[in-house]
Amino acid sequence: WIFSIYSFIAFSFSVFSGLLFDKRGSNLPMIIGTIFMSGSYFCLGNCEKYYQFLISIGILNGIGTSFCFTSTVSVISHWFNIRRAFAMSIATIGGSVGGAVFPLILREMYPKIGFGWSMRSIGFIVLGTQFISTLLIRDRLPRKPKVVIAGESDTNDSIDS
């Protein structure tokens, strides 16, 4: 259940994160995704019951993955036209590296500091790496212009002093 819900949320929330990316650029979705992903690992360190694991990994991490993954894939599509597949493979390799490195880190940490602080340490690693990726990601294409409804103004120049 946990990973089925995680996969569903990670892909279905891309509708919302894609809209946010189109309107606000890549930084806001990356910040939201970083908060959700690192927060899910911090919460995971306190989990004791099944539903807590479901909420932490299935829902929180799924939402965070959706926002971060959509932003990184979209930015790559903006920057690369000829070698796009190669660029996307380099960008998504982090998941494979994390899948290989995190179990090794956790194997060493469990006996020394326990489950709770092992998960919190992973949360700090995710927070640090996501912070770096948020700083490095850049938009190339302009954002969508704001739509102004006829008769309305997007400035506050109608307020008399």
Side-chain angles (χ1 to χ4, degrees):
W1 275 90
I2 294 173
F3 294 107
S4 297
I5 290 173
Y6 166 83
S7 296
F8 171 76
I9 289 177
F11 290 112
S12 64
F13 268 62
S14 295
V15 172
F16 305 113
S17 59
L19 289 172
L20 186 62
F21 173 82
D22 288 341
K23 290 183 179 181
R24 300 290 304 262
S26 62
N27 285 336
L28 183 61
M30 286 295 290
I31 291 169
I32 292 171
T34 299
I35 291 169
F36 273 93
M37 285 179 73
S38 60
S40 74
Y41 287 107
F42 294 138
C43 291
L44 186 63
N46 298 323
C47 291
E48 295 177 358
K49 299 193 187 246
Y50 180 78
Y51 77 92
Q52 295 169 337
F53 286 96
L54 179 77
I55 292 170
S56 177
I57 294 296
I59 297 174
L60 291 178
N61 206 348
I63 292 171
T65 299
S66 173
F67 278 91
C68 289
F69 191 73
T70 302
S71 294
T72 55
V73 169
S74 300
V75 165
I76 290 168
S77 297
H78 288 183
W79 282 98
F80 293 91
N81 199 16
I82 296 172
R83 307 265 315 195
R84 185 177 296 165
F86 179 71
M88 246 186 246
S89 66
I90 296 296
T92 57
I93 203 167
S96 301
V97 171
V101 172
F102 281 180
L104 299 173
I105 293 171
L106 290 173
R107 187 184 319 165
E108 293 296 319
M109 292 165 99
Y110 280 152
K112 296 176 184 169
I113 59 175
F115 174 77
W117 277 105
S118 297
M119 289 297 114
R120 290 181 198 105
S121 299
I122 294 294
F124 282 118
I125 292 170
V126 168
L127 183 64
T129 55
Q130 289 293 98
F131 178 74
I132 292 169
S133 65
T134 303
L135 290 177
L136 294 176
I137 195 169
R138 294 284 175 253
D139 300 335
R140 185 182 72 88
L141 299 177
R143 296 180 185 146
K144 286 186 176 181
K146 290 184 179 180
V147 176
V148 178
I149 299 173
E152 291 185 9
S153 175
D154 61 339
T155 62
N156 290 333
D157 53 1
S158 62
I159 300 174
D160 294 326
S161 299

